[in-house]
């Protein structure tokens, strides 16, 4: 059996001492000796009525949140029929999802402080291949979404705008 060199033995001993010196124990906590108060339902209700409610700040809820839209036209041209129609879904917490004609899209949206302001940010898409005309339409949609800076609701129609021009028209799903 081989023996450790004296230098290695000393280093191992120093490391062991340093490791053990960093170990500490925490004293066990004991439960409080304070008596437990029992409150009846009537007393709790009376206390709740006596405490004024703090004003609750209402979070601004988007008028688009929770809505799904089927794209009908892109720059005035009717959408090409695809396996799945292009859709835009405005989800909770500013999340964006949908279908760009062939592939699923994910991203975020944010409404501005002025009515009708809108920013769409694409985070990614799936990578399926589809027929050429569908892929061209998808590229058009993917190129337009980041350019959109405004929207307008007109009944069941959503008009997405870029520079004041309506570039996408969609109907509520």
């Amino acid at each position: 059996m081989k023996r450790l060199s004296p230098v290695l033995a000393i280093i191992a001993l120093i490391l062991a001492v340093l490791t053990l010196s960093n170990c500490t124990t925490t004293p066990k906590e004991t439960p409080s000796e304070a008596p437990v108060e029992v409150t009846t339902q009537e007393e709790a209700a009376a206390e709740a009525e006596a405490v004024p409610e703090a004003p609750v700040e209402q979070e601004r809820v988007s008028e688009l949140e929770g809505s799904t839209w089927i794209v009908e036209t892109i720059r005035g041209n009717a959408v090409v029929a695809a396996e799945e129609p292009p859709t835009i879904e405005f989800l909770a917490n500013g999340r964006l999802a949908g279908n760009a004609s062939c592939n699923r899209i994910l991203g975020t949206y944010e409404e501005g402080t002025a009515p009708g302001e809108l920013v769409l940010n694409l985070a990614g898409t799936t990578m399926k291949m589809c027929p050429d005309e569908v892929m061209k339409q998808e590229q058009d949609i993917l190129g337009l979404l980041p350019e959109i800076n405004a929207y307008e609701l007109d009944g069941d129609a959503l008009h997405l705008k870029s520079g004041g021009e309506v570039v996408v028209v969609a109907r509520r799903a």
Side-chain angles (χ1 to χ4, degrees), residues 89-103:
E89 301 171 48
F90 295 94
L91 306 172
N93 300 324
R95 293 177 301 133
L96 181 73
N99 183 314
S101 292
C102 178
N103 289 288

Side-chain angles (χ1 to χ4, degrees), residues 22-30:
N22 285 330
C23 295
T24 60
T25 58
T26 305
K28 192 174 188 179
E29 292 183 21
T30 57

Side-chain angles (χ1 to χ4, degrees), residues 55-119:
V56 177
E57 269 190 46
Q58 293 263 332
E59 185 177 315
R60 183 172 172 238
V61 177
S62 163
E63 66 182 327
L64 296 174
E65 185 175 310
S67 64
T68 301
W69 303 86
I70 299 171
V71 176
E72 290 187 336
T73 64
I74 303 164
R75 292 201 188 271
N77 299 315
V79 169
V80 174
E83 207 172 288
E84 289 185 51
T87 58
I88 300 171
E89 301 171 48
F90 295 94
L91 306 172
N93 300 324
R95 293 177 301 133
L96 181 73
N99 183 314
S101 292
C102 178
N103 289 288
R104 298 285 302 158
I105 59 173
L106 297 170
T108 61
Y109 71 96
E110 186 177 338
E111 289 186 62
T113 54
E117 289 181 339
L118 180 66
V119 175

Side-chain angles (χ1 to χ4, degrees), residues 1-158:
M1 173 155 56
K2 283 189 172 182
R3 290 184 47 167
L4 287 176
S5 73
V7 174
L8 288 177
I10 292 172
I11 291 174
L13 181 61
I14 291 171
L15 288 173
V17 170
L18 288 174
T19 302
L20 291 175
S21 69
N22 285 330
C23 295
T24 60
T25 58
T26 305
K28 192 174 188 179
E29 292 183 21
T30 57
S32 171
E33 300 290 325
V36 176
E37 259 185 62
V38 177
T39 306
T40 66
Q41 283 184 327
E42 291 82 21
E43 291 171 332
E47 285 179 21
E49 287 177 11
V51 177
E53 286 188 30
V56 177
E57 269 190 46
Q58 293 263 332
E59 185 177 315
R60 183 172 172 238
V61 177
S62 163
E63 66 182 327
L64 296 174
E65 185 175 310
S67 64
T68 301
W69 303 86
I70 299 171
V71 176
E72 290 187 336
T73 64
I74 303 164
R75 292 201 188 271
N77 299 315
V79 169
V80 174
E83 207 172 288
E84 289 185 51
T87 58
I88 300 171
E89 301 171 48
F90 295 94
L91 306 172
N93 300 324
R95 293 177 301 133
L96 181 73
N99 183 314
S101 292
C102 178
N103 289 288
R104 298 285 302 158
I105 59 173
L106 297 170
T108 61
Y109 71 96
E110 186 177 338
E111 289 186 62
T113 54
E117 289 181 339
L118 180 66
V119 175
L120 304 179
N121 299 300
L122 291 179
T125 67
T126 55
M127 301 293 289
K128 257 182 6 182
M129 289 300 295
C130 291
D132 287 344
E133 63 183 2
V134 174
M135 292 304 293
K136 182 184 178 329
Q137 175 172 281
E138 180 165 291
Q139 290 307 309
D140 290 344
I141 291 171
L142 293 175
L144 278 175
L145 291 180
E147 294 177 12
I148 290 170
N149 56 18
Y151 75 96
E152 183 180 293
L153 289 174
D154 182 15
D156 279 344
L158 171 66

